[in-house]
Amino acid sequence: MKLKAIALLTIALLVSTACGGGTSSTGGGVAAGSIKGNITLWHAYGTGGSEETALNGIIDTIKKANPDAKITVLQVPFDQVFNKFQTEAAAGGGPDLFTAPNDELGNEVRANLLLALDDKLKGKLDKVAPLGVDGLKVAGKLYGIPMLFKAVALYYNKDKVPTPPKTTDELMTMVKAGKTIVQNQNGYHLFGWPAAFGGKLLDDSGKCVADQGGWADAMQYQLALKAAGGKFETDGGRADTSFRQGQVDMIINGPWVLGDYKKDLGAKLGVAPMPAGPKGKAGPLTGVDGWYINNSAKNVDGAIALALAITDAVGQKAYADVAGDVPVRTDVTVSDPLVKSFADASATGFARPQSAEFANYWGPFGDAVTKIIEGKSTPAAGIAEACAAMNKANKK
Amino acid sequence: MAAVIDASIDDAKLAEPAGSKRGRPRWLTAYLYILPALVIMLAVTYWPILFQVYMSFTDYGLRNLRFDAPAANFVGIENYVNLITNQVAQIANFNFWGMLAFNLFWTFSNVIFHITIGILIAVLLNAKGLWFRGVYRAIFVLPIVIPTLVVATVWRNMFDTDYGAINQGLAAIGGIFGMSPDVFHIRWIDQVDPPVSWIPLPLSYFALLITNIWLGWPFMTIIATGALQSISKEYYEAASIDGASARQQFFNITLPLLRPAMIPAAMYGMIVTFNLFNLIYMVSGGGPLRQTEILVTTAFRLVNENRLYGLAAAFGIYTMIILLVLTLLTNRITKATESYV
C-alpha cells in the first residue's frame, strides 16, 4: 500500500512538473483542457499491479487537467481483452480506445475494427522510435498510438547468480553446476532461442521455414537444459512464484512483471538479455503496446487526445519508473538499469509480424513445444510437424 | 392486447364450445394465451437456432458481425465436410472422431460412477436406525449447490503438483509408510504420458473423473432416495417371508423399482456430462495436447480463440445431432419413457 502511494505521488509530481501547473502542452501536443466529452477506455493490467498503478496515476492527473472530460476506465482480464474487444467492436460497441500489445493488430485491422490514424497523428509521433511506429502499422497504415516495447529477457537473482550468462554455453555450464532456471513452457517465452541457433520462422512469402535448421537445435538445447536440471512450467503463475520466492535463480519473462519482481527481490534482482547462441543473439518476439481507437468510437477526437496525453514523455516516464516498462519515445531517459536491459532485449528482438500467416504459429508450435519437452516427439520431428501444420493452415 | 386478454378470461366465454358462433371460438382464445410465449420463444430460441443453421453454411467471421457488414459467403456443406475430415488447420492436431470417442467415453464413464455411487449411498442412507440421516443428506447436497466454476477452480488448485492438497495428502499418508514425498510429486494436469501404458488416457482425465464423480453422485443420490421412499415395504416383507436374502431383495426389488426414476436421471446426467464445459475448461483446459478436449470446449475455441463462427455453427449442429441420436438410442434401449404402471 505504501509502495502504491509512493508510486502515485511520484507520477503526480512528474506530471505536475512537466505540465507546469496544468497550463502548458504535453509532449504529445495535447494542451490541458483540450480533452473533452465521454471517453471509455479499456486496459488489461492486473489488479493492483505496477502497470495499473502507473496508468491510474496518469489518468488521475489528466482528469484534473481536463475537467470537461469524463473518462471511464474498465479493466478486462488479459486473456479476454482481444476477444471482448473484437466481439463488441464488430457489433458496433466496445470502448473508444483500449491498450494492449500488438498481438492481434493484424486480425483487428483485417476485420475493420480499428481506425487508421495516419492523418490524425501527422507530426505527433516525431519523438517515437521508428520500430515503435512500424509495430503498429498494417499494410503501411498506422493503427495505434505507440507506448511501450515488450520483449522477454533473463531475470536473475544476484545473490545466487552474480554474473548472468552471456551465452547458451555459459547458461548450460551454470545449470550443470547447480544453478537453476525456470522457463515458461510455451511458444511465446521460448520464441527467442531459435534465433540464437540460426533459426528463422517465416520466409519473405510467409512460408514457415523453421524446419530448415536452427529451431530443432534450439529445442535440442532445451532438452539438454532440462536434463541438466532446468525446470519447465506450463503454469506461468507457478513459474513466477518459484522465482519470486527464491526457489529458482533465473527465469525468462517480460518487463510487465518487473515492478512486481522488484517488490519481492529488491536489489537482488538483475536483468540481462537472453543468452546468445552459437549463431548469434537470441531473438525474442518484440511487441509494441499501443493505444487503439475503435472504429465505432463515439468520441474519436477525445480518444486520440487522451491516448496522446497518456503516451507523452511524462506518461512514458511514469510507466518506466513505476512499472519498469520500456518506453518507445526517444526523449524519455530511462534511469533504471533493469529497464535499460529490457530496452536492449527489445532492440535485438524479432518484430512481431502482423501477417495472417503468423497468427497460425501459436497452435502448431505450442503443441510442438509440449511434445518435445515432454519427450513425445524428437525436436526435428516436432518442429517439422508444426511447420507443416502452419503451412497447411496458411495454404503455403 | 390487454383488452383482448381481459375479455378472454371471461368464464362464460371460456365455457363456450369450440367453434361457437356467438363469440370468439375457444381454440382462438387458447392461441391468444400462448401467443406471447410463442413470440418470445421465436425471438430468443428458434431464431438463433435458424440463424446458426444459416451460419453453418457460410464462412461467417468477425468481418460479418456488424449490421452494415456484407453478408457472409455461402460455402455449402464445406464446414461440415471440413470438420469430419479434420481439415481444421487453425487448431493443431484437430481430430473430430477422436474427440467424439473421448467425449462419449468421458460421458459414460462418469455417469456409471454417478449412478452406482448414488444408488449405494441412497440405500445406505435409507437403512433403518441410521442416526443423523437428515444431516448426511444435507451435507451430500453440497456439491450440487456450489457453482461448477468454483468447484473446478478449487479442484484445479488441489491437483497442483507442488502446492496441491491431493499430492500433499498422499505424501502425508505415504510418509507414514516411510515413502519419500518425491514419489507423490504427481503432475496430475500436465503429464502427457498415460499413467497406465496400455490405456490411452492421460492423468488429467483421471483428475477430471475424480472431480466430476465428487460433483455428480449427490444428484443421483437425491433421485434414488426419492424413488426408494416410494417402494412399498410390503414387497420386502413378502420377499423375507419367501426367504429372499438382502442381496436378492436388492437386485430383484430395489433395483428394478428404482429404474423408472434412475433412467431419466441418467439421461439427464449424460447430457450434462457430455456438455460439461466449465469443469474441463477450468481444470485441464482440454490438455495436455488436447487429449481431454470435448466437443463443447472445442466449439468454444473455434469461436473465442479463432473467431470461426461458420465452422463453429456447423460444429454446434453436429453436437446437437449427436446428442439427439444418443438420447433417442438410450431411450429406445432403456424404454425410459414407457409407462411402468
Side-chain angles (χ1 to χ4, degrees):
Chain A
M1 200 61 202
K2 199 181 267 180
L3 275 170
K4 199 172 174 180
I6 293 167
L8 284 169
L9 192 64
T10 309
I11 297 163
L13 282 171
L14 285 166
V15 175
S16 61
T17 308
C19 292
T23 51
S24 66
S25 65
T26 62
V30 180
S34 63
I35 305 171
K36 292 184 171 66
N38 292 333
I39 307 166
T40 305
L41 168 159
W42 285 5
H43 71 81
Y45 301 139
T47 306
S50 51
E51 289 185 312
E52 191 191 41
T53 307
L55 177 65
N56 285 343
I58 296 166
I59 295 281
D60 284 346
T61 311
I62 290 173
K63 278 180 177 172
K64 279 176 195 154
N66 296 275
D68 293 339
K70 190 186 172 223
I71 301 166
T72 307
V73 178
L74 180 70
Q75 180 205 36
V76 179
F78 183 75
D79 62 352
Q80 282 301 309
V81 68
F82 297 115
N83 179 51
K84 188 172 167 63
F85 172 75
Q86 289 169 19
T87 310
E88 292 201 19
D96 292 292
L97 77 165
F98 79 108
T99 186
N102 57 344
D103 300 13
E104 284 281 326
L105 182 61
N107 289 336
E108 284 156 1
V109 170
R110 286 184 282 279
N112 196 27
L113 303 179
L114 296 179
L115 197 68
L117 300 169
D118 299 81
D119 295 338
K120 303 259 185 193
L121 297 178
K122 204 167 274 179
K124 292 184 175 172
L125 302 179
D126 299 343
K127 301 284 185 187
V128 174
L131 185 61
V133 178
D134 290 345
L136 299 190
K137 280 185 176 175
V138 179
K141 281 189 174 178
L142 182 63
Y143 287 94
I145 296 136
M147 186 170 68
L148 307 165
F149 284 125
K150 283 191 171 166
V152 297
L154 181 80
Y155 284 100
Y156 60 99
N157 186 328
K158 287 179 183 170
D159 275 3
K160 314 266 185 70
V161 180
T163 311
K166 287 190 176 59
T167 65
T168 47
D169 285 346
E170 281 182 27
L171 174 63
M172 184 65 78
T173 307
M174 278 184 177
V175 172
K176 281 181 177 169
K179 303 297 177 195
T180 48
I181 182 170
V182 63
Q183 295 204 75
N184 284 284
Q185 185 181 305
N186 60 54
Y188 175 76
H189 286 84
L190 297 176
F191 191 93
W193 293 112
F197 289 83
K200 196 177 168 190
L201 180 66
L202 298 168
D203 67 10
D204 293 340
S205 70
K207 186 182 174 195
C208 175
V209 290
D211 53 352
Q212 294 174 20
W215 277 74
D217 296 334
M219 294 311 296
Q220 191 64 53
Y221 175 79
Q222 298 305 315
L223 286 181
L225 206 58
K226 186 181 179 188
K231 281 181 75 180
F232 287 81
E233 282 285 7
T234 52
D235 183 334
R238 206 161 52 196
D240 274 356
T241 304
S242 58
F243 180 70
R244 291 169 75 164
Q245 293 183 345
Q247 291 159 1
V248 290
D249 310 331
M250 294 172 275
I251 186 173
I252 288 168
N253 212 344
W256 50 90
V257 286
L258 179 59
D260 301 324
Y261 281 12
K262 270 185 183 174
K263 283 178 200 164
D264 290 334
L265 296 169
K268 288 189 286 188
L269 186 66
V271 176
M274 285 175 71
K279 298 280 178 67
K281 289 181 177 174
L285 270 179
T286 295
V288 179
D289 272 20
W291 288 88
Y292 311 99
I293 312 298
N294 186 350
N295 229 346
S296 307
K298 293 172 183 71
N299 184 359
V300 170
D301 290 338
I304 292 172
L306 176 59
L308 283 171
I310 294 170
T311 59
D312 70 6
V314 178
Q316 294 201 10
K317 176 81 175 153
Y319 264 91
D321 290 346
V322 177
D325 284 324
V326 181
V328 293
R329 290 183 71 105
T330 52
D331 59 346
V332 173
T333 312
V334 175
S335 47
D336 188 335
L338 302 181
V339 180
K340 273 185 178 163
S341 297
F342 272 113
D344 295 343
S346 303
T348 64
F350 175 72
R352 188 178 193 125
Q354 299 305 321
S355 62
E357 286 86 2
F358 185 70
N360 287 318
Y361 161 80
W362 302 106
F365 278 83
D367 274 12
V369 164
T370 306
K371 283 182 183 175
I372 294 166
I373 300 295
E374 298 288 339
K376 300 300 290 180
S377 180
T378 63
I383 294 298
E385 185 189 358
C387 208
M390 191 176 173
N391 283 332
K392 186 179 171 189
N394 289 328
K395 298 187 172 69
K396 297 283 182 186
Chain B
M1 181 53 106
V4 173
I5 291 172
D6 286 347
S8 66
I9 56 173
D10 182 351
D11 287 346
K13 282 198 168 71
L14 279 175
E16 284 172 4
S20 164
K21 288 183 181 175
R22 276 199 301 120
R24 186 184 304 113
R26 199 172 167 187
W27 58 265
L28 183 61
T29 307
Y31 277 109
L32 284 173
Y33 270 118
I34 63 166
L35 188 64
L38 190 66
V39 168
I40 291 169
M41 289 290 282
L42 277 172
V44 302
T45 304
Y46 301 118
W47 167 245
I49 290 174
L50 287 174
F51 194 74
Q52 183 183 346
V53 174
Y54 152 73
M55 285 168 83
S56 71
F57 292 107
T58 69
D59 65 349
Y60 207 100
L62 208 53
R63 67 196 172 283
N64 306 110
L65 271 180
R66 279 177 185 273
F67 285 115
D68 56 354
N73 299 313
F74 184 76
V75 295
I77 58 167
E78 190 181 305
N79 289 330
Y80 289 95
V81 174
N82 284 350
L83 284 170
I84 58 172
T85 55
N86 302 327
Q87 300 296 310
V88 182
Q90 290 84 353
I91 296 183
N93 303 322
F94 180 86
N95 182 344
F96 181 84
W97 298 105
M99 194 163 38
L100 177 60
F102 175 76
N103 207 150
L104 290 170
F105 180 77
W106 159 254
T107 305
F108 288 119
S109 58
N110 275 277
V111 173
I112 286 168
F113 276 108
H114 291 166
I115 292 176
T116 310
I117 297 173
I119 290 175
L120 283 176
I121 301 283
V123 170
L124 290 174
L125 285 181
N126 209 38
K128 274 182 193 169
L130 184 72
W131 288 6
F132 309 121
R133 191 193 313 266
V135 176
Y136 300 139
R137 284 181 182 160
I139 290 171
F140 292 156
V141 170
L142 208 61
I144 300 174
V145 297
I146 301 174
T148 318
L149 205 65
V150 176
V151 171
T153 308
V154 169
W155 277 90
R156 174 73 180 82
N157 290 330
M158 283 179 23
F159 281 118
D160 188 275
T161 310
D162 297 312
Y163 312 108
I166 306 274
N167 280 356
Q168 290 189 13
L170 288 173
I173 295 166
I176 298 169
F177 301 99
M179 296 169 82
S180 161
D182 293 341
V183 175
F184 301 101
H185 195 255
I186 303 167
R187 299 173 67 210
W188 287 97
I189 307 299
D190 303 332
Q191 185 179 307
V192 177
D193 283 328
V196 185
S197 60
W198 48 273
I199 299 176
L201 289 166
L203 201 50
S204 58
Y205 160 77
F206 295 98
L208 286 164
L209 184 68
I210 292 166
T211 308
N212 199 36
I213 289 172
W214 182 86
L215 196 63
W217 70 261
F219 173 73
M220 295 300 175
T221 296
I222 287 175
I223 302 291
T225 301
L228 281 173
Q229 308 304 313
S230 67
I231 299 175
S232 169
K233 290 190 172 51
E234 288 172 8
Y235 292 124
Y236 296 102
E237 287 164 9
S240 295
I241 291 166
D242 288 344
S245 66
R247 187 169 164 274
Q248 284 172 322
Q249 287 179 31
F250 176 75
F251 282 105
N252 295 308
I253 299 172
T254 309
L255 270 190
L257 292 174
L258 280 179
R259 193 178 145 189
M262 294 314 294
I263 285 179
M267 286 167 69
Y268 170 77
M270 259 173 28
I271 292 168
V272 169
T273 310
F274 191 90
N275 288 324
L276 201 59
F277 175 85
N278 282 350
L279 197 70
I280 292 201
Y281 190 76
M282 295 297 293
V283 175
S284 76
L289 290 173
R290 260 182 284 290
Q291 290 180 85
T292 55
E293 204 90 73
I294 59 172
L295 295 182
V296 287
T297 55
T298 306
F300 177 78
R301 290 189 201 290
L302 287 170
V303 172
N304 193 275
E305 292 170 8
N306 300 90
R307 326 286 196 265
L308 297 167
Y309 297 106
L311 202 65
F315 201 89
I317 303 283
Y318 271 141
T319 307
M320 189 188 76
I321 292 169
I322 291 162
L323 275 174
L324 189 67
V325 170
L326 198 66
T327 308
L328 291 175
L329 269 177
T330 318
N331 194 25
R332 191 172 176 89
I333 293 166
T334 60
K335 301 183 176 70
T337 48
E338 281 185 16
S339 170
Y340 285 83
V341 180

